Amino acid sequence: MDEFVRNRLTEWGLSEWIPRFEDEGVDKESLFCLRDCVIDKLITKVGPAEKFRMRLKLLMEEHNTTNQETADVSAHDHEEAGDCIQVIPSTSDTSDKGKRKLDPQGESSKWKSPARKRPHDAMPGSFTDEFILSDVKTIMTYVENKLCNEDNTKLNAFLKTKISDLKIDKRELVGVFGKTGAGKSSLINAVIGEKNLLPSGSVSACTTVMIKVEANMHNPKYEAEIEFITKEEWREELWYLYHTPRENACQEKENDDDDHDTDEKLSALYGEEWRDVSLENLMDSKYFRDIKEFLDSKKKILTCESAEELSEKIVKYTRSDSKVGDGKKVTRQYWPLVKCVTVRVPNNDFLQHVTLVDLPGSGDRNKSRDKMWKGIVGSCSTVWIVTDINRAAAEKEPWEILENASSLMGNGGECQHIHFICTKSDLIEDWDDHLAGAVPALVFKRNMEAKKTVIREFSQQRNIKKHFSENCFKVFTVSSKEFLKGKHLKPEETEIPQLQEFLQDLNDCHSETLNYVSGAYGILSLIQGARCRGVANKKAAVCTELEETLRRELDKVKKPMEEAYEAFEKCLDKGVKESKSSCEGNLKSILYPGGTSGRGFHRILRCVVENNGAYKPKRKEGKEININMKLSSCLTDNIDEEFRKTFPNEGKCGPFSGVISMFSLDTEWLIQKYKDVELQLIFLKTEEEKIKTKVNKTIRDRKKIIYSSLTGTIKANMQACYERAAEFRGPDTLNNMRDAIKKHVHDSKNVMFQVAKDVMLTQLKDLKMYILEELEKSLKESIELSLKTDDYSIPDFSAELNMVKRYRDERQTSQGEEMSLTGADPRGPAAALSP
């Protein structure tokens, strides 16, 4: 084996296979004629072997381009041999490496609808995003390791930091809401192609905890990761469950559902034994013998070979269900202790970069569960509202779920799509009376009527539409049962494939691949540019132009943000004025509710003050009480419209994200003018895009904090009042609590709302300053290190640069073709009906 082969294997990250090539005497000449069967013997692992084939193909192309005579000989040899290597991935390749996997393994692949193929998947000779991303990451790891062996100069340290910053894994969250029996679990199972994954089917069962469903990227097993609340949190909840009903046992039973909640939770975990055991003894470790992870504050991991096996194991951690499988009794259930369950599915293309979250309709009394619920809902880019088609528009609960969470998903979140999913669309009255051929037409007619009815209802939801435009809302009518069995309807008529297609679009890692590859291309361009000599004068000229452009562009960014600040100030001034005049009346509607006696309300109000102003009833028809939100409602009502215009969830527009997207150093024009420093300008172009992406992410995250600051400031102001009210005991406790709250609001109203306004404006101003400082600081540093710093000692990575450039060019070409084929809104399924 010669140095040429040894160097290539090292550069390709395959140095561990060098001894095998040495043993077989592979040199430069024989390298170009390796056959598939020989490669498989030399490299016995599939991943490295496929990577070697791809690298060898690119090397052969370089060799052919630079030496035509050698290329002719090589072509002749290939014709003679007939079985020489063909390294371009084929759509019919049975190994399927480097291509999208459309079906999970096992039985489910028989009924799963094939996903829509991407244009670049079908192009002969092209590589999939997953393959390219993996290989470019390998290249950059090699570059980083080599830089670590060099002198730690300022540029060297900068480059290593930039390579490290490339490692970003983006995930999309899809929240799934729906009442018990609506078919959430069956829908999720059907859409991801795992019909036995999430437990479903029991009329009495109810999913009680958040369940995340995502891909298992580590091994080919079905896994469940169970996260528990802490022992201290359970002790507090026990105290609440134990004392609240007993403390007021003589009072009217107007909150029987809360008492049922207590019985249900304690009986699930302790059986009937809890009724005769003291509170302290209920924390005895003997009750948690099978879940030592709870006692040790660790996560419990369940691993199974099949979805069905895992489904049976997780029931007692997720559902208030007394039976499972063939009717076997579940003696102990642990869902009262569970914070969240993460289910991981192997070999599932739909979940590679998407997490589906089965969510309860509202938050939780447990503070850690409630915090997690709010965090997940606020981070969902898509929300599915699942309901039975027969009462899709008339059913109150789905609309109440959407309305209660709309501010958290909209102005307080990042939701871009609301899908109202009507399930059981196959259920037609007197089904057997119709000819089989007539059924699809009847289903279609009923589905279209249901969609129009739901859209009409959405148009009347004023509170929801404050946060979402009609373009965000789509309606689907699905049948998981017919999708699985296909007795009367074709798969596309069930609309499950349309939801799969939507997930595929969300899940598509194309943009992640292009962003990573472009970033890597920029870094490698900077490295090679830093090695160039004799362009100092050109660098100085470019530097001057860039610094002037930067100043000019920052001014363009600044002005719209200042105008938005002024608009916010006017809205908030009006909100403060209305809050001062209406707060005591709004408070009265909470403290003196109609239809509830004083004796019954005493218990509810105590829960309110003990939970910092909020109360979540267990019963589905009960409405949440939140004094803080009620008091801040005039402020939020006045700011909602302006907030949505300033921080829209859909697209890169508005005075913050919009101006960032328009920001440009105009490096494309400078590249045409200054060819000698093209490599440095390529880096600056990719760096500019990367910084803009980072800033836009910060805007998205901080706008949630800004929006919630109004209610948060009111809550902080009311905290002392709640604590005083919670201390009252004995006769006339209800009136004492009411008086304490009323007095505090009356005394604070001239200050409290003004403070809330000032806090929001301060946070808005801080965001503006962060954006300007981040753009200026980051780009000035990049300009200085790319155009004012030379480092001739940095190794030569020209081969890596050329390879990454090819990948980048292919992805950019593929992206253009895909956009032309899918249109402007690739995420909008054709079968969905929107307003």
Side-chain angles (χ1 to χ4, degrees):
M1 182 171 118
D2 54 25
E3 285 299 313
F4 178 87
V5 176
R6 182 178 288 104
N7 290 341
R8 296 294 80 75
L9 290 174
T10 302
E11 290 172 4
W12 298 346
L14 300 168
S15 56
E16 64 178 294
W17 304 101
I18 289 176
R20 291 281 297 158
F21 280 69
E22 285 180 338
D23 291 342
E24 299 298 331
V26 179
D27 58 11
K28 181 178 180 179
E29 183 179 354
S30 58
L31 180 70
F32 288 98
C33 290
L34 290 177
R35 292 170 297 185
D36 271 329
C37 59
V38 175
I39 292 174
D40 291 337
K41 290 179 179 178
L42 288 168
I43 304 177
T44 54
K45 291 184 179 179
V46 173
E50 291 300 316
K51 185 181 295 183
F52 175 85
R53 287 185 172 90
M54 184 275 301
R55 292 288 202 156
L56 182 58
K57 168 187 174 290
L58 295 174
L59 181 63
M60 290 169 67
E61 289 177 354
E62 286 183 0
H63 185 71
N64 294 344
T65 301
T66 57
N67 192 332
Q68 188 61 46
E69 182 181 350
T70 304
D72 293 339
V73 173
S74 176
H76 176 73
D77 289 343
H78 276 260
E79 291 174 2
E80 290 285 321
D83 57 351
C84 278
I85 181 171
Q86 295 293 321
V87 294
I88 300 176
S90 167
T91 54
S92 62
D93 188 306
T94 56
S95 69
D96 210 26
K97 294 295 176 182
K99 300 192 298 301
R100 183 182 295 263
K101 296 178 182 177
L102 296 181
D103 295 307
Q105 294 176 349
E107 182 182 346
S108 61
S109 63
K110 298 176 183 177
W111 53 268
K112 181 176 175 183
S113 175
R116 171 171 56 87
K117 286 188 177 181
R118 303 287 178 214
H120 57 266
D121 285 342
M123 287 170 50
S126 68
F127 298 102
T128 62
D129 293 335
E130 294 88 345
F131 194 86
I132 289 177
L133 185 59
S134 174
D135 197 55
V136 175
K137 283 182 177 181
T138 300
I139 291 172
M140 297 313 292
T141 299
Y142 166 72
V143 172
E144 185 177 21
N145 290 339
K146 202 159 185 179
L147 288 174
C148 288
N149 295 326
E150 303 296 321
D151 294 338
N152 193 31
T153 62
K154 189 175 181 180
L155 179 59
N156 185 294
F158 177 77
L159 291 169
K160 287 184 287 188
T161 300
K162 291 301 172 185
I163 294 173
S164 178
D165 290 345
L166 286 171
K167 299 168 186 175
I168 298 172
D169 181 27
K170 180 188 175 187
R171 297 199 70 81
E172 297 279 355
L173 286 184
V174 176
V176 186
F177 292 94
K179 64 177 291 185
T180 303
K184 282 191 301 178
S185 298
S186 297
L187 175 69
I188 293 173
N189 289 347
V191 169
I192 67 172
E194 292 286 356
K195 63 181 179 182
N196 297 316
L197 183 64
L198 297 185
S200 63
S202 173
V203 176
S204 62
C206 174
T207 302
T208 56
V209 302
M210 287 171 283
I211 303 177
K212 298 179 183 179
V213 183
E214 59 189 37
N216 188 347
M217 306 299 289
H218 308 295
N219 59 65
K221 306 285 186 181
Y222 290 84
E223 287 185 351
E225 179 182 281
I226 301 164
E227 183 179 357
F228 298 98
I229 61 175
T230 65
K231 287 181 290 185
E232 292 71 23
E233 287 171 338
W234 180 240
R235 191 187 301 275
E236 289 178 13
E237 194 165 340
L238 271 179
W239 189 95
Y240 172 84
L241 293 171
Y242 228 65
H243 287 83
T244 305
R246 295 182 179 183
E247 182 180 306
N248 303 289
C250 61
Q251 296 179 2
E252 297 176 358
K253 287 293 183 180
E254 295 186 354
N255 296 283
D256 286 341
D257 283 299
D258 288 340
D259 292 331
H260 174 71
D261 181 32
T262 299
D263 288 352
E264 184 181 29
K265 280 189 174 181
L266 296 180
S267 297
L269 186 58
Y270 299 104
E272 294 303 306
E273 186 177 340
W274 69 271
R275 301 181 189 278
D276 303 313
V277 178
S278 68
L279 170 63
E280 193 58 39
N281 286 338
L282 287 179
M283 291 301 297
D284 192 298
S285 60
K286 70 179 182 180
Y287 294 112
F288 314 105
R289 191 176 296 116
D290 295 331
I291 46 169
K292 294 181 180 179
E293 294 86 353
F294 167 72
L295 297 174
D296 297 335
S297 298
K298 295 180 179 179
K299 295 178 181 178
K300 186 178 184 69
I301 307 295
L302 302 175
T303 303
C304 300
E305 295 292 334
S306 69
E308 189 171 10
E309 181 187 358
L310 185 68
S311 179
E312 290 185 3
K313 284 188 176 182
I314 65 173
V315 166
K316 58 186 175 183
Y317 298 99
T318 61
R319 290 160 69 87
S320 55
D321 190 5
S322 60
K323 294 186 177 182
V324 63
D326 58 0
K328 294 178 288 186
K329 188 78 173 179
V330 177
T331 55
R332 295 291 301 279
Q333 297 176 328
Y334 301 114
W335 54 264
L337 303 176
V338 175
K339 184 176 180 180
C340 179
V341 174
T342 301
V343 175
R344 297 192 176 95
V345 182
N347 305 318
N348 196 292
D349 190 54
F350 295 119
L351 299 174
Q352 189 176 6
H353 295 283
V354 170
T355 297
L356 293 173
V357 191
D358 187 347
L359 289 160
S362 61
D364 198 281
R365 289 174 177 172
N366 177 275
K367 291 178 182 178
S368 67
R369 278 194 293 251
D370 191 57
K371 183 178 180 181
M372 175 179 277
W373 182 87
K374 288 178 178 177
I376 290 174
V377 173
S379 299
C380 288
S381 63
T382 301
V383 166
W384 290 354
I385 305 295
V386 183
T387 188
D388 191 316
I389 194 170
N390 290 319
R391 292 180 54 81
E395 187 81 55
K396 288 184 178 180
E397 189 172 337
W399 297 105
E400 287 177 351
I401 289 172
L402 189 53
E403 182 175 354
N404 291 338
S406 59
S407 63
L408 192 57
M409 299 185 308
N411 284 344
E414 53 189 271
C415 182
Q416 301 175 37
H417 307 275
I418 298 175
H419 292 167
F420 204 94
I421 301 176
C422 306
T423 59
K424 306 174 186 177
S425 67
D426 58 296
L427 298 181
I428 297 290
E429 190 174 348
D430 299 325
W431 184 291
D432 294 332
D433 294 343
H434 302 287
L435 294 174
V439 169
L442 291 171
V443 170
F444 177 78
K445 181 181 178 182
R446 198 272 306 274
N447 289 352
M448 294 304 293
E449 290 173 355
K451 289 183 179 185
K452 290 176 181 177
T453 304
V454 170
I455 288 170
R456 216 167 25 242
E457 182 66 27
F458 176 76
S459 67
Q460 299 170 13
Q461 301 292 324
R462 187 178 62 86
N463 291 333
I464 298 172
K465 291 184 71 177
K466 285 193 301 184
H467 298 273
F468 298 100
S469 69
E470 291 184 343
N471 293 332
C472 298
F473 189 78
K474 289 184 172 67
V475 186
F476 294 83
T477 49
V478 308
S479 171
S480 302
K481 181 180 177 181
E482 275 295 306
F483 179 69
L484 300 181
K485 296 185 177 180
K487 185 177 180 181
H488 296 283
L489 301 176
K490 296 176 182 177
E492 61 271 19
E493 291 171 333
T494 70
E495 296 197 8
I496 294 293
Q498 283 77 6
L499 288 174
Q500 290 180 326
E501 183 175 332
F502 176 85
L503 277 192
Q504 196 94 308
D505 286 321
L506 266 189
N507 180 40
D508 193 353
C509 63
H510 183 92
S511 60
E512 180 195 1
T513 299
L514 183 56
N515 290 339
Y516 189 96
V517 173
S518 296
Y521 177 56
I523 293 169
L524 291 169
S525 297
L526 175 58
I527 291 174
Q528 293 308 108
R531 292 170 48 82
C532 297
R533 302 173 185 267
V535 292
N537 292 337
K538 296 288 180 65
K539 285 184 177 181
V542 173
C543 226
T544 301
E545 289 201 38
L546 283 170
E547 288 169 351
E548 177 57 36
T549 302
L550 178 58
R551 282 191 293 270
R552 187 171 60 250
E553 289 295 300
L554 288 173
D555 287 338
K556 290 182 184 179
V557 170
K558 185 178 180 181
K559 186 178 178 182
M561 292 193 294
E562 290 176 340
E563 291 172 351
Y565 181 95
E566 293 172 2
F568 268 53
E569 193 168 24
K570 289 179 182 178
C571 294
L572 289 170
D573 282 338
K574 184 181 178 184
V576 169
K577 185 177 179 180
E578 291 180 6
S579 296
K580 290 178 181 178
S581 62
S582 63
C583 62
E584 290 175 280
N586 289 338
L587 183 64
K588 186 177 179 180
S589 68
I590 289 182
L591 297 181
Y592 300 91
T596 305
S597 73
R599 293 177 66 189
F601 186 65
H602 166 280
R603 185 173 165 187
I604 293 175
L605 190 57
R606 176 166 296 284
C607 292
V608 171
V609 297
E610 288 179 348
N611 196 41
N612 305 319
Y615 168 73
K616 299 179 185 295
K618 174 67 176 177
R619 63 188 188 279
K620 296 293 187 293
E621 66 273 14
K623 284 197 171 183
E624 178 182 353
I625 297 173
N626 194 312
I627 294 177
N628 310 311
M629 290 182 68
K630 193 71 173 178
L631 291 174
S632 62
S633 60
C634 289
L635 290 167
T636 54
D637 286 347
N638 276 281
I639 201 68
D640 273 338
E641 184 178 351
E642 189 64 35
F643 200 95
R644 184 154 73 93
K645 286 195 298 184
T646 304
F647 298 107
N649 288 342
E650 312 91 24
K652 295 178 181 178
C653 51
F656 280 78
S657 293
V659 294
I660 299 303
S661 299
M662 295 295 292
F663 178 94
S664 175
L665 292 178
D666 207 5
T667 48
E668 289 281 7
W669 179 79
L670 289 173
I671 287 174
Q672 301 302 317
K673 187 177 179 182
Y674 298 100
K675 280 290 184 181
D676 290 340
V677 289
E678 180 179 5
L679 290 171
Q680 290 88 339
L681 289 170
I682 288 172
F683 164 73
L684 288 174
K685 177 178 172 57
T686 58
E687 192 65 12
E688 175 193 315
E689 291 302 318
K690 186 176 165 188
I691 292 168
K692 286 160 62 175
T693 298
K694 176 186 175 182
V695 169
N696 274 324
K697 182 181 183 302
T698 301
I699 292 172
R700 184 191 68 197
D701 293 340
R702 286 181 53 172
K703 75 106 170 179
K704 301 176 190 178
I705 298 171
I706 293 171
Y707 185 76
S708 65
S709 68
L710 294 173
T711 302
T713 303
I714 299 298
K715 179 180 177 181
N717 185 284
M718 294 289 293
Q719 192 62 42
C721 152
Y722 297 142
E723 292 173 1
R724 286 197 302 274
E727 292 173 356
F728 289 113
R729 294 288 187 278
D732 219 20
T733 294
L734 176 59
N735 286 331
N736 288 335
M737 289 192 292
R738 283 170 167 163
D739 290 343
I741 297 171
K742 288 190 295 183
K743 183 178 186 306
H744 182 88
V745 171
H746 177 78
D747 294 344
S748 304
K749 65 180 181 180
N750 290 324
V751 176
M752 178 167 59
F753 302 109
Q754 183 65 38
V755 170
K757 167 201 160 183
D758 293 342
V759 168
M760 174 174 269
L761 290 177
T762 298
Q763 291 184 353
L764 194 66
K765 186 177 181 180
D766 289 345
L767 177 58
K768 181 194 78 171
M769 296 306 298
Y770 160 80
I771 291 169
L772 294 172
E773 290 172 3
E774 181 67 22
L775 287 172
E776 183 175 22
K777 177 186 173 184
S778 298
L779 288 172
K780 275 188 173 179
E781 181 186 28
S782 295
I783 290 170
E784 179 182 346
L785 284 164
S786 59
L787 294 169
K788 297 182 179 179
T789 306
D790 293 320
D791 193 339
Y792 308 127
S793 65
I794 287 184
D796 180 11
F797 294 111
S798 55
E800 287 73 18
L801 174 60
N802 290 333
M803 194 169 297
V804 172
K805 182 179 185 299
R806 284 183 186 168
Y807 284 144
R808 188 207 60 154
D809 293 345
E810 180 180 329
R811 286 299 85 194
Q812 287 182 333
T813 301
S814 177
Q815 183 183 48
E817 292 175 355
E818 182 169 349
M819 290 302 293
S820 67
L821 288 172
T822 60
D825 183 17
R827 293 184 180 182
L833 193 65
S834 58

